[in-house]
Amino acid sequence: MRRHELTDEQWAVVEPLLPVSGVRGRPRVDDRQVINGMLYKCRTGIAWRDLPQRYGPWKTVYNRFWRWSRNGTLATLVSRVRVIAEAVDELDREVSVDSSIVRAHQHAAGARRMRAAHTGGERVLRRADRASDHAIGRSRGGPTTKIHLACDGHGRPVSVVLTGGNVNDCTMFDQVMAGVRFGRRGPGRPRTRPTRVIADKGYSSRAIRASLRRRHIPATIPERQDQQTNRRRRGRTGGRPPAFDRATYRRRNTVERCFQRLKQFRAIATRYDKTALSYRAMIDLATLTLWL
């Protein structure tokens, strides 16, 4: 069994969760063979046309990847596997938040932008992609994409948001937290409140701390040096310093290790996909292997 391919135990978990095709015609290429081809592409970062023959026709693998990324099959598959993993594994709802910048390859350029058409007073987007810039922005490193990530205490992704590399971390904190879901088997809504949030100084702002207090979520976020200086300068009106536990803050390396595991997949460490949906689907494939 190759490193990037699903084992028999992993496939036994994934197979019942895949959609059943009702299309008649030629015999359908085996889903396990196709998913292994997708994982090979994600692990190596090669072009779709260069997929080895053992995964079947490259066009079949690409078409199924394109269809599953657009109709939400891959994202749903990850969420269902998470529920199963959380049911059999000890659940750690301590969340670490951070971001990482990824260089966009020249192959990632050239995707069509969305154009707005005014029809009946409403703005209708002609393209199916949600982000008009496809989450590619200009920064010091050139065209880059930023991955905003929240992971659980075991270093497994629970929420991912993509933006351009020039977007500030703290501006996307609410969106990242909105994607945190701790699912469970059976009826009932998923839990959305972690036991604690750990983040670095980039997330030290009054708005973020106030938002976490409203939700009764403890936070371990160090205060920036300029914030400490301003608070001391104001004297009594500056307020109390936020609580900070250095021993708890050491566990923030969980999200750093999560990024390290994700970037072992070359298609994630360097972005080759033109659209944000395709790149997000690559992250879903890597996330699937981390949760299995």
Side-chain angles (χ1 to χ4, degrees), residues 126-198:
R126 297 176 180 174
R127 298 291 297 174
D129 301 296
R130 297 182 179 180
S132 59
D133 59 353
H134 297 291
I136 296 180
R138 286 283 177 178
S139 61
R140 291 184 178 181
T144 53
T145 295
K146 182 173 285 189
I147 305 174
H148 304 264
L149 174 69
C151 70
D152 67 350
H154 297 294
R156 300 171 296 190
V158 295
S159 178
V160 176
V161 176
L162 299 179
T163 63
N166 57 334
V167 177
N168 191 279
D169 295 351
C170 63
T171 59
M172 304 304 299
F173 180 81
D174 290 338
Q175 294 190 29
V176 174
M177 293 300 298
V180 174
R181 295 286 189 275
F182 297 101
R184 50 188 173 182
R185 288 182 171 180
R189 294 178 296 179
R191 298 181 179 91
T192 60
R193 190 172 64 182
T195 57
R196 179 172 294 273
V197 172
I198 306 176

Side-chain angles (χ1 to χ4, degrees), residues 92-98 149-156 194-200 218-222 244-259:
D92 190 343
R93 290 193 292 160
E94 183 178 80
V95 169
S96 299
V97 182
D98 203 356
L149 174 69
C151 70
D152 67 350
H154 297 294
R156 300 171 296 190
T195 57
R196 179 172 294 273
V197 172
I198 306 176
D200 59 13
T220 302
I221 304 175
F244 177 71
D245 186 2
R246 292 184 179 274
T248 302
Y249 188 68
R250 294 193 185 100
R251 296 197 293 269
R252 196 192 68 85
N253 63 8
T254 303
V255 68
E256 301 291 349
R257 288 186 277 115
C258 181
F259 274 120

